[in-house]
Amino acid sequence: MGSASGSTSAGNRRLSLPGKESCWRQRMSWAMQCQSCLPWGSWTQLRRSLSGSRGTRSVYLCAASVPGAAGSYFLRKVLRASDISLPRGCVHYQGGSQEHSVQPSSSRHGLSQLRNVASSDAIKKHQKSLSAWFSHQPNEERQFGPSFSLDAVHVDPVIRESSLEEILKPSPDLTIQNQLQQPCSQVISLQNLFDVDACGRQVKNVVLYGTVGTGKSTLIKKMVVDWCHGRLPRFELVIPFSCEDLSHSHAPISLRRLITKKYQHLRDVVPMLGASNLKVLFILNGLERLNLDFRLAGTELCCDPNEPVPPSAIVVNLLRKYLLPEASIIVTTRPSAVRRIPGKYVGRYAEICGFSDTNLQKLYFQMRLSQPGCSGENSAGSSSGEQENLVEMLSRNLERHNQIAAACFLPSYCWLVCTTLHFLYFTRTVPPSQTLTGIYTSFLRLNFSGEVLDSTDPTNISMMKYVAKTVGKLAYEGVMSRKTCFSEDDLQQCFEVEMKTESELNLLEVFRSDVFRFFLTPCVQPGKEHTFVFTIPAMQEYLAALYVVLGEKKTLAQRVGKELSEVIGKVSEDIAVVLNIISKVLPLRFLPVLFNLLKIFPRYFSRLSGKDRDAIAHTMAEELFKEEDYYNDDVLDQINSSILGVEGPMCHPDEAPDDEVFELFPIFMGGILSRRNRAILEQLGCSIKNLAAFEIAKAMKKTVIRNSRKGLPPSELMDYLFFLHEFQNERFTAEAIRSLRTVNLSSVKMTPLKCSVLASVMGTTCHEVEELNLTSCNLDTSSLRILFPVLLRCKALHLQLNSLGSDACKEIRDLLLHDKCVVSNLRLANNPLGKQGAQYLAEALAGNRSLTHLSLLHTALGDQGAEVIAQHLTENQHLQELNLGYNSLTDTAALHVVEVAKKHATLDKVHLYFNDISEDGKQVLHSLRMDRDGVRALVFLTAGTDVSDYWSNILNVVQRNLAFWDRERVQQHLALILQDLESSRRQTANPWRKAKFLRVESEVKKMLGKLQHGTL
């Protein structure tokens, strides 16, 4: 005869019976007491096991509700002694795990009972409701179209099995690469989280942790959606809870009421949760938002799902396995909150490691950038090749550029990369539906909305506010000192220099554990392995801008003055109420004087704060118009290069440039001041008052607009236009644009986004533009379509060197025939217009009333194109100059054009040089003199025995276009010109004319020599 003991909530109970019969009676009596605790199928199996054990030696039993390690140990000992297999409902766990037990076939009776009632339909309704809710995409995702569903673009991050000892052990090295190089045996899939552990115990409680941005919430959403669609058959019911929602309520509530309050479809299922073998999974997302107390003195035991207790007590008892012990639980949290759950209640720790494999990053980009709706509805077919090209370029850059691969370790940053590329390449609406600042602000909202740095801290500071004050300071000092790499000393200067209290040190510890690697990552440049850089370079400039606009850049006196002003202001308001009451009773005349004295300091401080806003505007203007940045690429090209890399010969991709460029910094400052971004930042705990934004905008008029009137290089002008777009202040933009009469954007690669920005910004006014230079801007038909309203208002329009074809000429025809068109000078040189393009332009000439100068130099017209234009010239009454040079015209076409020009009312100059005109044709054209026929035909550098008045113009045109013309053909023409010059010089006897000929000959010979030696 032996003895054992087991602890219960009612106290200790010892069962020891001598003799076989008395032992049998005692065992049956105990089993009858346990009947109420067991499902019917389980009770039947237990009774059979007991009845079949007559004649065995004595055995010791304990109640099924015994919690804790002692009860678990005692129950296992009982089962070994009696060879009784209890059902799962009787077994309790240590550390969230249980020993394997043989589940009898009759235990399915409770499940079959459940499915025979309306519960099955209720679960289906629950699945439908959950699927609709968790498949709902935020506004940041809906902008990409319906094809961007969670099922379509989700890639599971790497999940690595961990342990509490590993979590508590300080990491010696923060390099992301070290985190990724984990043994393959530690990697575990989402479907296997509840498999048995290394000791063979069934896991019931799983803690899934990861830093900000690793994809915890998205993974849980995908898990729920998978269950709703039958892809998670392990569980028959999934009940998700947001710990943030639970933290807002402290009123007692029962578990059943908590479930039915959130999920009404489960009203018929909840009463049966504890009385059936239903496989239930509770999901507790964001445990860091709850303050849990696992001490018995802090949270009482509760095993009744109907008993009202605070929500935190429900969570604690679920994790203790005292409430619904058969339920499985998965908890997501940040690393700093993992220790809030005692290790004995956790069966498995798992860390979300993000996209630790570059192949996962490539897969994500492939899925997201190749979606049908990625390029927009209007251009889905035409942009498929561009989408594939983007994926290929991004893939190559990931392979050779370790820094961007380290950034895309976080799935959140992969989202930001794809969103930025979508903005850069597929924005075609006017005005653009998004701003770059808005993308970064929305990105921060997706990751930090409602997030408090530490829920146990009394200050309750928002995570984003803390980041703006600390990381923003580091970012700003880096921008001002023109550096992107930061040492540990730099971090201490920004994070620890003002740490004075225990609370501040605790906040810093939480920040380093949960958030630090979201913004800063170890540098991969050789020799800089122990320094840190911003995970995404543009984020440094965004946070620096936020730091300045929030007014965090203050001296100690300014901060004390602000706080003192607020205190005195509040005191003066309270005293005003008191004075109003007293003055009605006692005629104290000196009291108003005292009241006014109290108001002096706040008014004085408001004037000082106004100067601070002037300083913000001055900083913005100074950074926006830095002369050392004048000849860099525009900011949009810089962002594109940082993501996709630079094709062709270049320095090592991980080597920093000699001079760091921070041209996004002032643009982000303007973007943050826009109403929409201020509203989002308000949600993140970063408040920017309307009055402050108004005063900064007012101060900007004195600085920004004045500086913009200076001549800006094309790339800087594009940055300025982009700044105005980001600012989203129509009145301010209109006033700034009115001062721009000439817009020179030559050589700026005008993507659809830049065209949309130009059209949007210029569209704030209706004034005429004297000149718009879009030479060599990679324009196409869609670009002209986007810019159409702007082009109508331009007097001089330069569209040379844009590879515009006949389709583009169709758009130009519509432009010239528009009744509001004011274009008088149109240059289309060096575009392959062809015969069909000439047809469209001829139709435009026939109906246009504004055009006076048209250049079609080197546009592949040929004789047929020139003939078409000549036919329609008779219907035009305003053209004064026509350039048809270098178009392979022969004598017939050239003579026809000049014959028509002779009869034209206003046309007096036709350029025909570098065409295939014979000597006879030249003589005929030379005979058509201005003084006799009213037209000047510019064919050669000579005019009889004299030099043409336009010889320098012709040579300048040749020199400017040599880079785009066939050099062999140019050499042939220059040789003919040289022969013609020498022949004309020999025919004249005038010494002054001979000297003039010699001068022109030397210029031609010099050009020929440079061409032959390849130096021109």
Side-chain angles (χ1 to χ4, degrees):
M1 181 175 67
S3 64
S5 62
S7 299
T8 67
S9 58
N12 295 333
R13 178 179 301 165
R14 181 181 296 272
L15 300 175
S16 178
L17 300 176
K20 293 182 179 180
E21 292 299 325
S22 60
C23 180
W24 160 246
R25 286 194 299 270
Q26 188 72 0
R27 286 158 62 190
M28 287 300 297
S29 174
W30 173 86
M32 292 295 291
Q33 293 174 10
C34 292
Q35 180 178 2
S36 62
C37 300
L38 298 173
W40 173 250
S42 302
W43 162 246
T44 303
Q45 176 65 16
L46 176 62
R47 185 171 59 184
R48 290 174 180 172
S49 300
L50 291 173
S51 61
S53 63
R54 295 175 70 93
T56 60
R57 65 184 181 86
S58 58
V59 63
Y60 305 93
L61 300 173
C62 68
S65 59
V66 176
S72 200
Y73 168 78
F74 179 69
L75 186 54
R76 290 195 297 272
K77 186 173 181 181
V78 168
L79 294 179
R80 284 196 299 269
S82 61
D83 294 328
I84 297 174
S85 295
L86 287 181
R88 292 169 62 186
C90 295
V91 184
H92 280 261
Y93 317 97
Q94 180 179 6
S97 302
Q98 77 172 47
E99 297 287 354
H100 278 301
S101 60
V102 179
Q103 183 173 349
S105 59
S106 58
S107 66
R108 297 179 185 147
H109 182 63
L111 181 58
S112 62
Q113 237 183 359
L114 180 65
R115 288 174 175 169
N116 289 335
V117 294
S119 301
S120 180
D121 293 335
I123 292 179
K124 289 180 180 178
K125 291 180 180 178
H126 177 61
Q127 287 178 324
K128 184 177 180 181
S129 175
L130 278 184
S131 178
W133 177 254
F134 280 85
S135 298
H136 179 77
Q137 297 286 57
N139 292 332
E140 288 80 4
E141 288 291 339
R142 287 202 294 270
Q143 64 178 310
F144 302 115
S147 62
F148 283 84
S149 63
L150 193 62
D151 284 338
V153 297
H154 180 76
V155 176
D156 283 336
V158 171
I159 303 175
R160 185 179 61 85
E161 190 166 2
S162 182
S163 64
L164 186 59
E165 293 76 15
E166 186 176 344
I167 298 170
L168 298 179
K169 182 177 64 177
S171 176
D173 197 346
L174 280 175
T175 58
I176 290 180
Q177 287 76 8
N178 287 351
Q179 297 178 37
L180 309 185
Q181 296 169 359
Q182 299 293 340
C184 297
S185 59
Q186 294 183 343
V187 175
I188 187 171
S189 67
L190 186 66
Q191 290 76 14
N192 297 330
L193 286 177
F194 290 95
D195 288 353
V196 295
D197 61 12
C199 298
R201 295 174 297 184
Q202 185 67 45
V203 173
K204 284 295 183 179
N205 290 350
V206 174
V207 172
L208 191 64
Y209 69 94
T211 58
V212 175
T214 50
K216 299 183 296 295
S217 298
T218 305
L219 189 66
I220 291 301
K221 287 175 65 177
K222 183 63 167 57
M223 185 179 185
V224 173
V225 172
D226 283 348
W227 174 76
C228 293
H229 292 91
R231 295 192 289 267
L232 200 64
R234 179 190 290 266
F235 301 105
E236 295 163 312
L237 180 61
V238 171
I239 304 176
F241 282 111
S242 166
C243 293
E244 181 182 1
D245 294 342
L246 296 178
S247 68
H248 294 323
S249 174
H250 302 284
I253 187 172
S254 68
L255 174 60
R256 289 180 176 175
R257 175 61 184 143
L258 185 64
I259 295 173
T260 55
K261 183 179 179 182
K262 189 172 181 64
Y263 305 109
Q264 297 181 1
H265 298 299
L266 298 180
R267 285 193 301 267
D268 298 331
V269 180
V270 168
M272 311 182 75
L273 285 181
S276 68
N277 284 336
L278 190 68
K279 298 176 182 176
V280 182
L281 172 66
F282 285 97
I283 297 176
L284 303 174
N285 189 35
L287 191 76
E288 67 275 357
R289 299 303 302 269
L290 278 176
N291 295 326
L292 303 181
D293 189 352
F294 280 82
R295 300 172 303 160
L296 289 177
T299 303
E300 62 180 3
L301 297 175
C302 175
C303 62
D304 185 2
N306 295 312
E307 181 181 350
V309 293
S312 59
I314 292 177
V315 173
V316 169
N317 281 288
L318 282 173
L319 292 169
R320 284 172 173 166
K321 289 303 166 194
Y322 204 77
L323 185 61
L324 297 185
E326 281 300 303
S328 299
I329 300 174
I330 185 168
V331 174
T332 68
T333 185
R334 301 200 303 258
S336 63
V338 170
R339 289 170 288 182
R340 296 185 188 180
I341 306 176
K344 63 181 179 179
Y345 297 122
V346 180
R348 174 171 283 126
Y349 291 96
E351 180 185 9
I352 301 183
C353 297
F355 295 153
S356 57
D357 188 351
T358 308
N359 290 325
L360 290 178
Q361 301 173 11
K362 293 180 181 179
L363 177 61
Y364 179 89
F365 293 132
Q366 176 72 35
M367 293 176 65
R368 193 169 190 93
L369 293 175
S370 300
Q371 287 297 307
C374 180
S375 57
E377 296 179 1
N378 297 331
S379 57
S382 61
S383 296
S384 59
E386 187 173 21
Q387 290 173 252
E388 294 176 2
N389 188 41
L390 279 179
V391 173
E392 179 64 26
M393 291 176 66
L394 188 54
S395 178
R396 286 201 301 267
N397 203 31
L398 285 171
E399 291 174 356
R400 66 183 181 180
H401 201 316
N402 294 330
Q403 201 67 64
I404 190 173
C408 293
F409 157 76
L410 293 173
S412 293
Y413 277 105
C414 290
W415 180 91
L416 180 60
V417 166
C418 288
T419 306
T420 305
L421 287 176
H422 185 277
F423 174 67
L424 291 176
Y425 282 87
F426 305 118
T427 298
R428 289 176 171 83
T429 58
V430 179
S433 58
Q434 187 61 277
T435 64
L436 186 65
T437 314
I439 288 175
Y440 276 75
T441 308
S442 299
F443 168 70
L444 293 174
R445 176 171 65 177
L446 285 174
N447 289 278
F448 296 99
S449 180
E451 291 286 346
V452 175
L453 185 61
D454 186 4
S455 61
T456 63
D457 188 79
T459 60
N460 214 32
I461 185 172
S462 76
M463 189 178 289
M464 195 61 230
K465 180 69 173 179
Y466 187 89
V467 168
K469 294 176 66 174
T470 54
V471 187
K473 180 182 179 182
L474 179 72
Y476 173 75
E477 292 182 355
V479 169
M480 290 296 102
S481 59
R482 287 296 192 262
K483 70 176 183 179
T484 58
C485 292
F486 304 93
S487 65
E488 189 65 37
D489 292 338
D490 295 328
L491 301 183
Q492 290 178 358
Q493 285 293 324
C494 289
F495 295 147
E496 300 178 11
V497 69
E498 297 179 2
M499 298 289 108
K500 297 178 182 178
T501 65
E502 183 72 16
S503 174
E504 291 174 335
L505 290 173
N506 289 338
L507 288 176
L508 178 60
E509 182 181 357
V510 173
F511 169 78
R512 277 190 171 272
S513 172
D514 297 349
V515 193
F516 179 83
R517 282 174 287 182
F518 184 84
F519 293 103
L520 292 161
T521 186
C523 184
V524 300
Q525 294 179 29
K528 297 184 178 181
E529 291 81 2
H530 299 289
T531 61
F532 297 88
V533 296
F534 278 83
T535 311
I536 291 289
M539 186 60 73
Q540 178 180 353
E541 298 175 77
Y542 181 94
L543 292 177
L546 183 61
Y547 178 78
V548 173
V549 174
L550 283 176
E552 295 294 335
K553 188 175 71 71
K554 290 186 176 73
T555 63
L556 180 61
Q558 289 173 327
R559 292 178 183 175
V560 173
K562 182 177 184 295
E563 295 175 0
L564 187 61
S565 173
E566 292 175 352
V567 171
I568 294 178
K570 292 177 181 178
V571 170
S572 65
E573 292 175 2
D574 296 337
I575 290 179
V577 177
V578 176
L579 290 179
N580 287 333
I581 297 174
I582 294 178
S583 61
K584 294 179 181 178
V585 182
L586 298 174
L588 300 177
R589 297 183 179 179
F590 72 90
L591 290 178
V593 176
L594 177 62
F595 175 64
N596 288 330
L597 288 174
L598 285 171
K599 285 188 172 182
I600 289 177
F601 186 81
R603 288 176 179 174
Y604 176 73
F605 181 79
S606 66
R607 293 180 182 178
L608 292 179
S609 63
K611 293 183 179 179
D612 290 341
R613 283 150 193 166
D614 287 342
I616 292 175
H618 177 73
T619 300
M620 197 180 305
E622 183 180 3
E623 292 294 324
L624 191 62
F625 301 107
K626 271 187 175 293
E627 292 189 8
E628 56 263 38
D629 297 336
Y630 268 14
Y631 298 99
N632 298 320
D633 291 337
D634 61 81
V635 292
L636 293 175
D637 283 348
Q638 292 174 26
I639 294 173
N640 183 70
S641 298
S642 70
I643 296 175
L644 298 180
V646 179
E647 297 296 321
M650 57 177 291
C651 61
H652 191 276
D654 291 325
E655 291 181 6
D658 295 335
D659 297 320
E660 297 292 349
V661 179
F662 295 97
E663 294 181 88
L664 269 174
F665 170 55
I667 293 174
F668 277 143
M669 287 178 68
I672 287 171
L673 288 171
S674 69
R675 185 182 300 273
R676 180 178 179 274
N677 286 314
R678 284 190 287 117
I680 296 176
L681 289 169
E682 180 78 30
Q683 301 172 18
L684 297 175
C686 300
S687 177
I688 303 171
K689 302 299 182 185
N690 289 332
L691 181 60
F694 173 78
E695 290 180 350
I696 293 173
K698 185 178 179 182
M700 282 167 57
K701 292 182 180 179
K702 306 174 186 176
T703 55
V704 174
I705 296 179
R706 182 177 65 246
N707 288 336
S708 69
R709 289 171 182 158
K710 305 173 183 177
L712 294 174
S715 61
E716 289 303 303
L717 180 58
M718 187 67 241
D719 288 346
Y720 179 58
L721 296 174
F722 189 61
F723 165 80
L724 295 176
H725 163 69
E726 292 286 313
F727 192 35
Q728 295 286 290
N729 186 323
E730 191 168 331
R731 289 183 59 188
F732 181 90
T733 301
E735 188 169 345
I737 287 300
R738 285 193 192 98
S739 62
L740 289 179
R741 294 292 176 178
T742 300
V743 179
N744 180 12
L745 295 174
S746 60
S747 301
V748 173
K749 185 180 179 181
M750 294 299 292
T751 62
L753 171 61
K754 295 177 189 176
C755 292
S756 299
V757 168
L758 176 59
S760 174
V761 171
M762 298 296 291
T764 56
T765 67
C766 298
H767 76 284
E768 291 184 357
V769 180
E770 293 295 331
E771 181 180 350
L772 175 59
N773 190 344
L774 296 175
T775 301
S776 188
C777 289
N778 292 86
L779 298 179
D780 57 15
T781 306
S782 62
S783 304
L784 296 179
R785 197 174 296 123
I786 294 171
L787 292 172
F788 193 90
V790 178
L791 303 182
L792 283 174
R793 296 156 41 198
C794 300
K795 293 183 178 179
L797 183 57
H798 302 262
L799 299 177
Q800 306 98 297
L801 294 164
N802 279 295
S803 300
L804 299 176
S806 58
D807 292 339
C809 289
K810 190 175 181 181
E811 295 295 326
I812 296 172
R813 179 198 63 183
D814 297 339
L815 171 73
L816 294 175
L817 293 178
H818 198 281
D819 56 354
K820 293 184 179 180
C821 177
V822 298
V823 177
S824 60
N825 188 343
L826 176 61
R827 298 187 180 183
L828 291 169
N830 298 303
N831 286 297
L833 306 182
K835 175 187 174 182
Q836 185 59 51
Q839 178 66 43
Y840 290 133
L841 293 177
E843 295 173 7
L845 283 174
N848 178 266
R849 298 292 180 269
S850 62
L851 195 62
T852 58
H853 295 75
L854 175 61
S855 174
L856 298 177
L857 174 70
H858 191 220
T859 51
L861 298 181
D863 284 348
Q864 293 180 332
E867 292 283 357
V868 170
I869 289 176
Q871 292 172 10
H872 288 76
L873 269 178
T874 55
E875 303 175 47
N876 181 280
Q877 302 298 322
H878 303 277
L879 194 64
Q880 298 175 10
E881 184 175 353
L882 176 64
N883 191 335
L884 297 178
Y886 203 160
N887 274 294
S888 301
L889 303 187
T890 60
D891 295 358
T892 305
L895 289 172
H896 186 200
V897 170
V898 175
E899 288 291 340
V900 172
K902 287 170 54 179
K903 303 173 184 177
H904 197 280
T906 57
L907 185 59
D908 66 348
K909 190 185 298 182
V910 179
H911 299 253
L912 293 172
Y913 41 80
F914 278 78
N915 282 301
D916 299 333
I917 302 174
S918 65
E919 280 295 325
D920 294 337
K922 175 196 168 185
Q923 296 298 328
V924 175
L925 291 172
H926 176 66
S927 65
L928 301 173
R929 300 295 298 274
M930 175 65 186
D931 53 355
R932 289 178 297 190
D933 303 293
V935 64
R936 284 172 290 189
L938 281 63
V939 184
F940 286 95
L941 301 188
T942 58
T945 57
D946 199 357
V947 176
S948 170
D949 294 335
Y950 302 97
W951 70 269
S952 60
N953 292 344
I954 296 174
L955 289 182
N956 285 335
V957 169
V958 173
Q959 190 160 1
R960 285 198 307 267
N961 291 278
L962 271 178
F964 321 105
W965 289 359
D966 182 356
R967 297 204 165 203
E968 290 186 6
R969 186 174 179 186
V970 172
Q971 287 184 33
Q972 294 175 5
H973 278 283
L974 287 178
L976 291 175
I977 288 175
L978 188 59
Q979 292 176 11
D980 184 64
L981 286 170
E982 292 172 348
S983 174
S984 298
R985 176 169 53 83
R986 285 193 294 267
Q987 294 176 17
T988 182
N990 190 320
W992 297 108
R993 289 184 180 179
K994 284 184 179 289
K996 201 173 181 181
F997 274 114
L998 288 172
R999 179 188 171 192
V1000 178
E1001 286 177 32
S1002 66
E1003 292 290 334
V1004 175
K1005 288 178 180 178
K1006 188 186 300 182
M1007 190 177 294
L1008 264 173
K1010 289 182 178 180
L1011 271 174
Q1012 291 169 354
H1013 292 90
T1015 58
L1016 188 62

